[in-house]
Structures are given as structure tokens and as C-alpha cells.
Amino acid sequence: MTDVEEPIVDVEEEPVEVEVEEEEEFVAVGGATEVKLFGKWSFDDIEIRDISLVDYIACKGDHATYLPHTAGRYQKKRFRKASCPIVERLACCLMRKGRNSGKKLMAVRIVQHTLEIIHLLTDQNPIQVVVDAIINSGPREDSTRVGGAGVVRRQAVDMSPFRRVNYALYLLATGAREASFRNLKTMAECLAEELVNAARGSSNSYAIKKKDEIERVSKSNR
């Protein structure tokens, strides 16, 4: 009888050991708390090289998200959209021209593919490329209409940091849309190319060309 009882004891003990090991592994995996965009791209090493735009490009701390889809109500109050994650703002800028309005999941998918393409092209963190493109694409000076009673002239004015970010996002999204229209290239490929060129400051970028044009006109109206 003793010979029969011993293997039964062994069989009971083995699963207990396996269960303990599984619990330990689970705890080790659960310890990772770093937030990564799409589970891939880290926000920790992102550097905003223009000190004036640090408060308006939200990509650190509480603004780090897994997806560019927070469903926040950023239009309810003035300046609240400054706290919207910058990649989500880029996705929102893609939802334009009527037929695309409201299709945020499509915009998020385009942004996801864009970041993958940027990583393949530059071998850098694509979030850093997006931030650099926005910094380079925002005009620093603009011209406004001054005067009344039929006498209208243009006057050069400085552009606020918040408007610089807004305008940069608009120009980048518009350039990508125009490049992909009636073209075999996908929207993601065109947006990636636009962002990479803008981050480098290349004049091949629609946003950089428009920014230079706006600054040149305003310089002549000083």
C-alpha cells in the first residue's frame, strides 16, 4: 500500500508548484507601467526643442496615451485643446472635407500606419519626428488687415505659440491630403513623407513652403 500512495502525493504536489510559478510571472509582467502609443512608441525621450511651444505640444506626463482617441471634450472651453495629446490632434485634423468628418477610427488607423512608415524611413521614434515637424511648420509671423472706410492695408503681426501649433497641424494635414488626392500613394504614405520632410526643414514639404511664403509676405508688410 505504501508503494501506491507515494506517487499520488507526488502528483498532487506538482501542479501546486506550477501555479506558484505562473503567479510570479504574472506579477513581473504587470509591473510594467510605461505608457506607449499603440503599445510601441515611448513618450519618455521626446524632446520639444522650441521652448515657446512646450506648453502647447502635449506629449508628456498625463498626456501620454495608448491610443490617439481619448474622447475628451476639448472644444468646450477656450485653450482646452492645448491639453489634447498632440498625436490625437493630428488625427482630428485628418477628418476634414465633409466625407471624412466623424471618421475618427479611420484617422487613427492612418496615423498608426504613418508612424510605422516614419520609423522605417528614419529609424527614429516617430513621435519625435511629428513634434519636430510641428515646430518647423508653424509660421512665426503673419499679416493682418488694418484700417477701415475703404482704406485697407496689411500689417505684420507676431503669431502666438498656440496659433503656431494650430496652423502647423492644419498645413501638414492639408499638404498630405493634396498629395494623396488622385494618387496611387495612400494617405498614410503621403502624411509620413510630409512629416519627415517638415521635420528636416526641407522645402519639399507643403507645410514648410507655405510657412516660408506667409513669413515672406508679412516681412514685406512690416
Side-chain angles (χ1 to χ4, degrees), residues 16-201:
V16 173
E17 289 173 7
V18 172
E19 283 174 12
V20 171
E21 285 174 8
E22 284 177 3
E23 284 176 9
E24 286 174 0
E25 285 174 13
F26 179 73
V27 170
V29 171
T33 56
E34 187 185 357
V35 177
K36 291 186 176 182
L37 186 67
F38 296 115
K40 266 190 167 186
W41 316 116
S42 172
F43 289 93
D44 290 347
D45 53 347
I46 301 302
E47 183 185 354
I48 301 172
R49 296 186 176 92
D50 191 331
I51 195 170
S52 64
L53 302 180
V54 170
D55 294 334
Y56 299 101
I57 296 179
C59 61
K60 292 209 169 190
D62 296 338
H63 306 300
T65 55
Y66 291 104
L67 280 176
H69 196 321
T70 58
R73 302 194 300 173
Y74 296 107
Q75 296 296 332
K76 285 289 176 185
K77 202 170 185 184
R78 196 179 180 201
F79 297 118
R80 186 174 287 174
K81 65 182 179 183
S83 63
C84 179
I86 196 67
V87 182
E88 181 172 359
R89 291 197 65 192
L90 179 62
C92 291
C93 286
L94 299 177
M95 299 191 295
R96 278 190 53 237
K97 292 290 185 186
R99 63 181 181 174
N100 297 321
S101 58
K103 299 181 183 178
K104 190 157 187 181
L105 293 181
M106 184 179 78
V108 168
R109 182 173 50 79
I110 289 170
V111 168
Q112 184 177 6
H113 292 170
T114 298
L115 297 181
E116 296 281 359
I117 295 167
I118 289 172
H119 180 64
L120 291 173
L121 289 174
T122 63
D123 208 29
Q124 294 178 331
N125 185 340
I127 304 173
Q128 182 66 61
V129 174
V130 171
V131 168
D132 290 345
I134 289 167
I135 290 170
N136 291 342
S137 303
R140 292 158 292 188
E141 194 178 21
D142 200 356
S143 51
T144 184
R145 288 162 63 95
V146 175
V151 182
V152 177
R153 68 186 185 88
R154 310 277 286 181
Q155 173 64 45
V157 291
D158 292 336
M159 200 179 265
S160 72
F162 192 37
R163 183 166 161 80
R164 278 181 66 190
V165 173
N166 297 345
Y167 217 95
L169 288 166
Y170 165 77
L171 291 175
L172 290 166
T174 304
R177 184 182 304 105
E178 290 187 5
S180 66
F181 190 63
R182 296 194 179 183
N183 195 343
L184 288 174
K185 276 189 181 179
T186 63
M187 182 66 181
E189 288 170 343
C190 291
L191 183 58
E193 196 176 334
E194 178 72 26
L195 288 168
V196 169
N197 285 334
R200 290 177 180 153

